[in-house]
Amino acid sequence: MSASRKPSCGGTLNKNVMTVFEHQRLMAHDFVQTSDFHWLLAQELSIFSIKRRQGQWQLKVGHYIGIVLLPSGQMLEILPKLMTKNESRHHHSQNVSSRPTGRLAKNSDIQQTRHWVQNMLSDLVSSSHSQTNRHKLPHRKNFGQFSDQLTPLPMESLPLSDWLVQQFLQALAQYQPTKYYQTQVHNQTSLQGRLLIKEQLRHNSMQPHRFVCEISMMNHDMLSNRLIKSALVLLMPLLHSSVHSKTCAATYLRAWQSISALSVHETTRLESIYHQAKRQLATQPLQVWQLRSAQQLVDLAYWLLRQSTVTSGHGFDSSTSLKPRSSQMRLCLLLDMNQAFEQWASLRIAAMFQRVSLEYKPLFQAQSVWLNDAEGQVCLSIRPDLLICDSGSYSHVVDIKWKHLMHAGAISASDAYQLTSYGHIYQAGQVWLVYPVQDDRRQPVALNQQTHHDNSGANTTSLKDSPPNQNDKAPAQLWLIPFNVMSGTVSNMSVTPR
């Protein structure tokens, strides 16, 4: 295996984890078992682009992060592209992780990246617990793969797969399989339970030795338990391979052994099963904390099971196409890094403003009409990542990009036009373009807009000769703001109340 292309092992924590990065190119010899590479080719997952170069197939990782359980049992971990410390001194493309992996993916780099990614995911999912501010949170239309039940764990820089297992085990440890009384009606030869008089006269008037009885029996197989058991089965390969949870796997299996998982048919209508399980669980005589723990675990189980059925490609593996559907269930958690970073930075920046003054009110991805025609029909709308309101006006417009800027001159024309348009439309005092960095060395940069007047032509009108507009304001101040992913803060930027 070529050392220059070999993806990194996931540190010393788990030898079964193969760690790669956004935009990295993978070939068959990068995998411990080449069959895993060919399986990925056959799946045609949307996160990979398939290319043929020098007579060999390549998979190029897209702008996603997450995990894919490979047929060999190895876990493919996809992390965000690395940001080098000396990026400002080297002119390279945004595809930094496609460079030889050996120079970039040191164990320390992997652990640092895992650390801030897990912080980011914990922030995003914990934000949805706020009932009072739920309407103010970033929209999550394309972020549905997140479970609301993920919580921060000790900073151990675990592989994402181990981290996910720990989340599930943490919730499972607080819950015991719920028993419930299931009412059944039997026409039997012994009197047991409550005799149903009407049914007895209807069915047994000619056979007095039989009794129609209603019997309540304790049962573990309620839908919520079966959802949780199915998720446990789905995670079983991770439970056995995870260093931190291997010793717990047998214990949990014993507690849930008597409960049946969902059938193949039931997994095809997973959403309705989930809602039915929630309703059934709400009727149980549980204490408030028990009900909350049970509902959270059911939510997490449903989320995990949904990953195994999510449509993420267009192909299929012909070698398994004739096998039962249950054998094809495979955990596959893939998140769009552009959306993840935008929403994380939005939350952190909004919190920063509100720590300065409660007069600052954040609006996340609020849609506004930009252009309409003479009849008032909307032609084009805009949706900034974050608007900061102050005393009835917009003080800041924040646009967030998951891209590297080596220096101020690297800003694209389209981004500059977008910032200028935001400032003009919202009449804001400042417009920020936020981009990721990995330390606090980069400073915010103010961009000065040049105003040009043309007084030479008869067909042009100088701006200074134009009639004054009472609503005219000075152009918004444009800023390039580095966001330190390690600390989750904007670098060296102070905010003062207006």
Side-chain angles (χ1 to χ4, degrees), residues 40 59 116 122 151-152 167 177 183-184 191 202 216-217 220 227 233 240 247 266 281-282 288 290 353 356 378 380 490:
L40 284 175
L59 288 172
W116 73 258
S122 296
T151 54
Q167 300 288 347
T183 301
Q184 299 177 345
L191 180 60
R202 182 181 301 119
S216 295
M217 303 180 63
H220 278 101
L227 268 171
V233 171
H240 287 304
T247 57
E266 287 171 323
L281 189 60
V288 175
Q290 291 175 318
F353 274 98
V356 173
V378 177
L380 193 61
V490 294

Side-chain angles (χ1 to χ4, degrees), residues 333-351:
L333 171 62
L334 302 168
L335 302 173
D336 188 314
M337 190 57 203
N338 293 324
Q339 295 175 5
F341 178 70
E342 288 171 7
Q343 295 181 22
W344 183 42
S346 293
L347 287 171
R348 287 297 187 103
I349 293 172

Side-chain angles (χ1 to χ4, degrees), residues 164-177 220 225 228-233 235-236 238-240 242 244-260 297:
L164 181 63
V165 168
Q166 290 297 305
Q167 300 288 347
F168 186 77
L169 295 184
Q170 187 180 59
L172 198 63
Q174 303 174 19
Y175 179 78
Q176 291 295 323
H220 278 101
N225 288 341
I228 296 168
K229 173 62 177 291
S230 297
L232 184 60
V233 171
L235 288 178
M236 199 53 58
L238 277 65
L239 285 168
H240 287 304
S242 172
H244 294 267
S245 54
K246 189 173 182 179
T247 57
C248 302
T251 302
Y252 289 118
L253 279 177
R254 283 194 297 270
W256 292 83
Q257 189 170 8
S258 61
I259 299 171
S260 59
L297 187 54

Side-chain angles (χ1 to χ4, degrees), residues 190-235:
S190 61
L191 180 60
Q192 183 181 7
R194 185 167 68 94
L195 180 66
L196 302 179
I197 303 299
K198 290 183 179 180
E199 286 76 7
Q200 176 70 16
L201 294 175
R202 182 181 301 119
H203 298 288
N204 294 334
S205 60
M206 302 301 293
Q207 43 182 0
H209 62 286
R210 299 188 67 87
F211 304 93
V212 179
C213 304
E214 183 182 82
I215 306 171
S216 295
M217 303 180 63
M218 293 295 291
N219 196 335
H220 278 101
D221 268 352
M222 58 189 300
L223 285 176
S224 57
N225 288 341
R226 297 179 64 207
L227 268 171
I228 296 168
K229 173 62 177 291
S230 297
L232 184 60
V233 171
L234 181 68
L235 288 178

Side-chain angles (χ1 to χ4, degrees), residues 279-298:
R279 289 192 297 269
Q280 188 183 67
L281 189 60
T283 63
Q284 300 306 304
L286 300 174
Q287 296 183 21
V288 175
W289 68 269
Q290 291 175 318
L291 181 60
R292 184 185 302 112
S293 296
Q295 289 176 336
Q296 289 178 351
L297 187 54
V298 168

Side-chain angles (χ1 to χ4, degrees), residues 463-479:
L463 291 180
K464 67 180 181 180
D465 296 330
S466 302
N469 186 337
Q470 297 300 322
N471 295 324
D472 281 349
K473 295 176 62 176
Q477 177 66 65
L478 308 185
W479 285 90

